[in-house]
Amino acid sequence: MPVEITHQAKVPDNMARQRLDHVVAHLFPQYSRSRLQSWIKAGGLTIDGQVLRAGHKLYGGEDIVIAVATVEVESTPQEMDLDIVFEDEDLLVVNKPMGLVVHPGAGNMDGTLLNALLYHYPDLDGIPRAGIVHRLDKDTTGLLVVAKTLESQNQLVQQLQARTVKRLYEAVVYGVFEGPGKVNAAIGRHPTQRTKMAIRRDGKEAISRYRVLQQFGEHARLEVSLETGRTHQIRVHMQYIRHSLIGDNTYGGGYKTPRNQQPILVDALQSFPRPALHARELRLQHPISGKDYRWTAELPQDMTALIAALAAADVCE
């Protein structure tokens, strides 16, 4: 269903001799510059009824009209249960379960969170990526925010770029820690395995901080905070410092035999079905009201059971 967008404004006299794209970015800050430029190029944004180039210099006093119909998403709405932690007219926060792919792609063209969002709120078909502004891996659980309007989406993207959105994760990893730490190592696409990421000198800046919540012999429960949001960032960074996530067959190399051979520990490690990672806390400023929000999601049952097994084995060692 197309979303009709209409706006009218007059070019202020004090913005005379400025470029069209600069003026409309000032007058319509709820939209990204790239979106406004696409509307200028497509003829959906006119000046005194004329379609002009983005670099055209204005005189002041001209009438600007935006009249566009956006149809961004072609995916099919699908009814699925969603654990919605918060929702208002501008955004919603979802607690994503294990196994749910966020966005359609090769091998996962439907049955994704995007399909479920379109069923829950059909107007999202007019928002790029159905309002999804950040992702979680298929088998990572936890909190994810979705914008319900273009204005909210633009504001949330700006917060993510400014690194003011705070995301706290819990991870269960291999190894012994002496205290908190920071990993500052750029991440880019793996040079030969295109589905993987890797530490690369020419990659994008990636910063993760961690602190130990519990140490269990050869394993630890960590709280990890992200300053950046690169694909697979925590998993790649933990592998880089030789503390890969339990259950991470892609970056961790699979099961590692513990010195403590108690059956409860061996079974817990061997049977854990995914990277032990959960997006526990999300903090951001509401894109419209400006109010500060904080949401939390309890650990899923599989991670709770894993931690309990690690604790039990540690006590009995």
Side-chain angles (χ1 to χ4, degrees), residues 59-184:
Y59 294 99
E62 297 97 328
D63 290 319
I64 301 176
V65 174
I66 297 176
V68 294
T70 65
V71 181
E72 297 287 351
V73 178
E74 297 181 358
S75 298
T76 303
Q78 292 177 306
E79 184 176 7
M80 292 182 234
D81 290 333
L82 288 178
D83 182 2
I84 297 176
V85 176
F86 173 86
E87 181 174 13
D88 64 11
E89 61 185 8
D90 302 301
L91 57 80
L92 60 85
V93 177
V94 177
N95 184 14
K96 190 187 85 65
M98 178 187 74
L100 180 62
V101 174
V102 171
H103 196 278
N108 296 284
M109 297 310 297
D110 59 10
T112 69
L113 175 63
L114 185 145
N115 298 106
L117 290 170
L118 290 175
Y119 183 90
H120 174 74
Y121 188 65
D123 285 351
L124 286 173
D125 69 358
I127 311 297
R129 297 174 298 281
I132 296 169
V133 295
H134 67 114
R135 301 187 186 188
L136 295 175
D137 295 342
K138 174 183 177 181
D139 288 327
T140 298
T141 58
L143 298 173
L144 185 146
V145 64
V146 178
K148 293 175 68 175
T149 67
L150 285 170
E151 183 175 2
S152 294
Q153 184 186 54
N154 186 45
Q155 293 296 325
L156 289 172
V157 168
Q158 289 182 19
Q159 288 186 50
L160 286 163
Q161 292 173 342
R163 303 182 183 178
T164 58
V165 175
K166 303 302 180 184
R167 291 167 287 173
L168 289 179
Y169 292 73
E170 284 201 26
V172 187
V173 304
Y174 289 96
V176 178
F177 291 80
E178 295 182 356
K182 172 183 175 181
V183 185
N184 186 348

Side-chain angles (χ1 to χ4, degrees), residues 266-278:
V266 172
D267 181 64
L269 295 174
Q270 287 184 331
S271 63
F272 199 78
R274 65 181 181 95
L277 185 62
H278 174 68

Side-chain angles (χ1 to χ4, degrees), residues 1-8 31 35-46 51 65-72 126 150:
M1 181 175 64
V3 175
E4 302 290 338
I5 297 175
T6 58
H7 294 287
Q8 290 183 306
Y31 302 116
R35 178 165 292 276
L36 290 166
Q37 288 176 339
S38 72
W39 289 343
I40 293 170
K41 187 175 182 179
L45 190 156
T46 59
V51 177
V65 174
I66 297 176
V68 294
T70 65
V71 181
E72 297 287 351
L150 285 170

Side-chain angles (χ1 to χ4, degrees), residues 256-276:
K256 295 175 176 58
T257 304
R259 290 192 298 271
N260 179 353
Q261 287 288 298
Q262 291 189 55
I264 187 174
L265 177 60
V266 172
D267 181 64
L269 295 174
Q270 287 184 331
S271 63
F272 199 78
R274 65 181 181 95

Side-chain angles (χ1 to χ4, degrees), residues 9-71:
K10 190 174 288 289
V11 179
D13 291 337
N14 63 2
M15 300 195 76
R17 299 185 181 180
Q18 294 192 35
R19 291 168 51 105
L20 169 59
D21 54 355
H22 293 172
V23 172
V24 296
H26 173 78
L27 295 176
F28 306 104
Q30 65 268 44
Y31 302 116
S32 67
R33 287 179 180 266
S34 61
R35 178 165 292 276
L36 290 166
Q37 288 176 339
S38 72
W39 289 343
I40 293 170
K41 187 175 182 179
L45 190 156
T46 59
I47 306 297
D48 288 339
Q50 299 182 63
V51 177
L52 302 175
R53 292 177 293 105
H56 182 86
K57 299 290 183 66
L58 300 175
Y59 294 99
E62 297 97 328
D63 290 319
I64 301 176
V65 174
I66 297 176
V68 294
T70 65
V71 181

Side-chain angles (χ1 to χ4, degrees), residues 203-234:
K204 294 182 178 180
E205 181 186 30
I207 301 173
S208 306
R209 296 180 184 272
Y210 63 85
R211 68 183 184 95
V212 180
L213 298 177
Q214 292 175 278
Q215 182 71 55
F216 310 104
E218 304 167 66
H219 309 90
R221 176 186 178 186
L222 303 182
E223 177 185 89
V224 185
S225 62
L226 299 182
E227 293 189 18
T228 56
R230 308 305 174 203
T231 300
H232 300 172
Q233 178 172 320
I234 293 175

